[in-house]
Short mmCIF file of all heavy atoms in Angstrom, two decimals:
data_model
loop_
_atom_site.label_atom_id
_atom_site.label_comp_id
_atom_site.label_asym_id
_atom_site.label_seq_id
_atom_site.Cartn_x
_atom_site.Cartn_y
_atom_site.Cartn_z
N THR A 1 93.82 92.57 110.70
CA THR A 1 94.59 92.66 111.93
C THR A 1 93.77 93.39 112.98
O THR A 1 92.87 94.16 112.66
CB THR A 1 95.92 93.40 111.71
OG1 THR A 1 95.63 94.70 111.17
CG2 THR A 1 96.81 92.65 110.75
N SER A 2 94.11 93.15 114.22
CA SER A 2 93.38 93.78 115.31
C SER A 2 94.28 93.87 116.52
O SER A 2 95.24 93.12 116.65
CB SER A 2 92.13 92.96 115.64
OG SER A 2 91.48 93.51 116.75
N GLY A 3 93.93 94.78 117.41
CA GLY A 3 94.70 94.94 118.63
C GLY A 3 94.32 93.96 119.72
O GLY A 3 95.01 93.82 120.70
N ASN A 4 93.21 93.22 119.53
CA ASN A 4 92.83 92.27 120.57
C ASN A 4 92.86 90.84 120.02
O ASN A 4 92.96 90.62 118.82
CB ASN A 4 91.46 92.61 121.16
CG ASN A 4 90.35 92.48 120.16
OD1 ASN A 4 90.53 91.99 119.06
ND2 ASN A 4 89.17 92.92 120.53
N LYS A 5 92.77 89.87 120.89
CA LYS A 5 92.93 88.47 120.50
C LYS A 5 91.76 87.93 119.69
O LYS A 5 91.92 87.07 118.84
CB LYS A 5 93.15 87.60 121.74
CG LYS A 5 94.47 87.84 122.40
CD LYS A 5 94.65 86.96 123.61
CE LYS A 5 95.98 87.28 124.27
NZ LYS A 5 96.20 86.46 125.46
N SER A 6 90.56 88.42 119.92
CA SER A 6 89.39 87.87 119.23
C SER A 6 89.19 88.46 117.84
O SER A 6 88.38 87.95 117.08
CB SER A 6 88.14 88.12 120.06
OG SER A 6 87.83 89.50 120.06
N LYS A 7 89.91 89.49 117.48
CA LYS A 7 89.75 90.21 116.21
C LYS A 7 88.31 90.69 116.02
O LYS A 7 87.84 90.88 114.92
CB LYS A 7 90.15 89.33 115.03
CG LYS A 7 91.63 89.07 114.94
CD LYS A 7 91.97 88.41 113.63
CE LYS A 7 93.46 88.21 113.53
NZ LYS A 7 93.85 87.65 112.27
N GLN A 8 87.61 90.87 117.12
CA GLN A 8 86.22 91.27 117.05
C GLN A 8 86.08 92.79 117.05
O GLN A 8 85.16 93.32 116.46
CB GLN A 8 85.48 90.68 118.25
CG GLN A 8 84.00 90.85 118.20
CD GLN A 8 83.33 90.09 119.33
OE1 GLN A 8 83.98 89.55 120.20
NE2 GLN A 8 82.01 90.06 119.31
N TRP A 9 87.01 93.50 117.68
CA TRP A 9 86.91 94.94 117.81
C TRP A 9 88.05 95.62 117.09
O TRP A 9 89.19 95.18 117.13
CB TRP A 9 86.92 95.34 119.29
CG TRP A 9 85.94 94.57 120.11
CD1 TRP A 9 86.21 93.56 120.98
CD2 TRP A 9 84.53 94.73 120.11
NE1 TRP A 9 85.07 93.07 121.53
CE2 TRP A 9 83.99 93.78 121.01
CE3 TRP A 9 83.64 95.56 119.45
CZ2 TRP A 9 82.64 93.65 121.26
CZ3 TRP A 9 82.30 95.43 119.71
CH2 TRP A 9 81.81 94.50 120.60
N ASN A 10 87.74 96.72 116.43
CA ASN A 10 88.74 97.56 115.77
C ASN A 10 89.59 96.76 114.78
O ASN A 10 90.81 96.84 114.76
CB ASN A 10 89.64 98.24 116.81
CG ASN A 10 90.30 99.47 116.23
OD1 ASN A 10 89.85 100.02 115.24
ND2 ASN A 10 91.38 99.89 116.85
N LYS A 11 88.91 95.99 113.93
CA LYS A 11 89.59 95.18 112.92
C LYS A 11 89.99 96.05 111.73
O LYS A 11 89.21 96.84 111.23
CB LYS A 11 88.66 94.06 112.45
CG LYS A 11 89.29 93.12 111.47
CD LYS A 11 88.31 92.08 111.01
CE LYS A 11 87.59 92.62 109.82
NZ LYS A 11 86.89 91.67 109.00
N PHE A 12 91.24 95.92 111.29
CA PHE A 12 91.75 96.64 110.14
C PHE A 12 92.09 95.66 109.03
O PHE A 12 92.74 94.64 109.28
CB PHE A 12 93.03 97.42 110.49
CG PHE A 12 92.77 98.68 111.23
CD1 PHE A 12 92.57 98.67 112.60
CD2 PHE A 12 92.73 99.89 110.57
CE1 PHE A 12 92.33 99.84 113.29
CE2 PHE A 12 92.50 101.06 111.24
CZ PHE A 12 92.29 101.04 112.61
N ASP A 13 91.65 95.95 107.81
CA ASP A 13 92.09 95.20 106.64
C ASP A 13 93.30 95.94 106.08
O ASP A 13 93.28 97.16 105.96
CB ASP A 13 90.98 95.14 105.59
CG ASP A 13 89.81 94.28 106.04
OD1 ASP A 13 90.08 93.19 106.56
OD2 ASP A 13 88.67 94.70 105.87
N SER A 14 94.32 95.20 105.72
CA SER A 14 95.54 95.85 105.25
C SER A 14 96.12 95.14 104.03
O SER A 14 95.87 93.96 103.81
CB SER A 14 96.59 95.89 106.37
OG SER A 14 96.98 94.58 106.71
N TRP A 15 96.92 95.89 103.27
CA TRP A 15 97.67 95.39 102.11
C TRP A 15 99.13 95.77 102.28
O TRP A 15 99.44 96.90 102.65
CB TRP A 15 97.14 96.00 100.81
CG TRP A 15 95.81 95.47 100.38
CD1 TRP A 15 94.59 95.95 100.72
CD2 TRP A 15 95.58 94.37 99.51
NE1 TRP A 15 93.60 95.22 100.12
CE2 TRP A 15 94.18 94.24 99.36
CE3 TRP A 15 96.41 93.48 98.84
CZ2 TRP A 15 93.61 93.25 98.58
CZ3 TRP A 15 95.82 92.50 98.05
CH2 TRP A 15 94.44 92.39 97.92
N ASN A 16 100.02 94.83 102.01
CA ASN A 16 101.47 95.04 102.04
C ASN A 16 102.06 94.41 100.79
O ASN A 16 101.40 93.59 100.13
CB ASN A 16 102.11 94.37 103.26
CG ASN A 16 101.55 94.89 104.55
OD1 ASN A 16 101.57 96.07 104.81
ND2 ASN A 16 101.01 93.99 105.36
N PHE A 17 103.31 94.75 100.46
CA PHE A 17 103.98 94.06 99.37
C PHE A 17 105.46 93.91 99.68
O PHE A 17 106.00 94.59 100.55
CB PHE A 17 103.78 94.78 98.03
CG PHE A 17 104.65 95.98 97.81
CD1 PHE A 17 105.86 95.86 97.15
CD2 PHE A 17 104.27 97.23 98.25
CE1 PHE A 17 106.67 96.96 96.93
CE2 PHE A 17 105.07 98.34 98.04
CZ PHE A 17 106.27 98.20 97.38
N ARG A 18 106.08 92.99 98.97
CA ARG A 18 107.52 92.83 99.05
C ARG A 18 108.05 92.50 97.66
O ARG A 18 107.31 91.99 96.80
CB ARG A 18 107.91 91.76 100.06
CG ARG A 18 107.48 90.38 99.70
CD ARG A 18 107.88 89.40 100.76
NE ARG A 18 107.48 88.07 100.32
CZ ARG A 18 107.36 87.04 101.09
NH1 ARG A 18 107.59 87.16 102.37
NH2 ARG A 18 107.01 85.88 100.62
N LEU A 19 109.31 92.79 97.44
CA LEU A 19 109.95 92.56 96.15
C LEU A 19 110.50 91.14 96.12
O LEU A 19 111.23 90.74 97.03
CB LEU A 19 111.07 93.57 95.93
CG LEU A 19 110.65 95.04 96.05
CD1 LEU A 19 111.86 95.93 95.91
CD2 LEU A 19 109.61 95.39 95.01
N GLU A 20 110.18 90.38 95.10
CA GLU A 20 110.59 88.99 95.04
C GLU A 20 111.98 88.79 94.42
O GLU A 20 112.46 87.68 94.37
CB GLU A 20 109.56 88.16 94.28
CG GLU A 20 108.30 87.94 95.07
CD GLU A 20 108.54 87.24 96.39
OE1 GLU A 20 109.37 86.31 96.46
OE2 GLU A 20 107.89 87.63 97.37
N GLY A 21 112.62 89.83 93.96
CA GLY A 21 113.96 89.71 93.40
C GLY A 21 115.05 89.65 94.45
O GLY A 21 116.21 89.42 94.12
N LEU A 22 114.69 89.83 95.70
CA LEU A 22 115.67 89.80 96.79
C LEU A 22 115.97 88.37 97.20
O LEU A 22 115.20 87.45 96.93
CB LEU A 22 115.13 90.58 97.99
CG LEU A 22 114.79 92.04 97.77
CD1 LEU A 22 114.11 92.62 99.00
CD2 LEU A 22 116.03 92.83 97.43
N SER A 23 117.07 88.18 97.90
CA SER A 23 117.40 86.86 98.42
C SER A 23 116.37 86.48 99.48
O SER A 23 115.68 87.33 100.03
CB SER A 23 118.81 86.86 99.02
OG SER A 23 118.83 87.65 100.20
N LYS A 24 116.31 85.19 99.79
CA LYS A 24 115.35 84.72 100.78
C LYS A 24 115.58 85.38 102.14
O LYS A 24 114.64 85.76 102.83
CB LYS A 24 115.46 83.20 100.90
CG LYS A 24 114.31 82.55 101.59
CD LYS A 24 114.41 81.04 101.46
CE LYS A 24 113.10 80.42 101.83
NZ LYS A 24 113.10 78.98 101.64
#
């Protein structure tokens, strides 16, 4: 992810998760 459109500057790699037992 990045704060600018080109993703060229200040790029962050991130990890997220969600629980799959929940309703859609």
Side-chain angles (χ1 to χ4, degrees):
T1 57
S2 175
N4 65 9
K5 291 181 182 180
S6 70
K7 290 190 177 183
Q8 188 173 7
W9 309 105
N10 202 20
K11 183 182 89 163
F12 282 82
D13 291 315
S14 64
W15 287 89
N16 301 304
F17 79 93
R18 66 181 183 198
L19 305 176
E20 287 302 321
L22 301 173
S23 69
K24 196 171 195 176

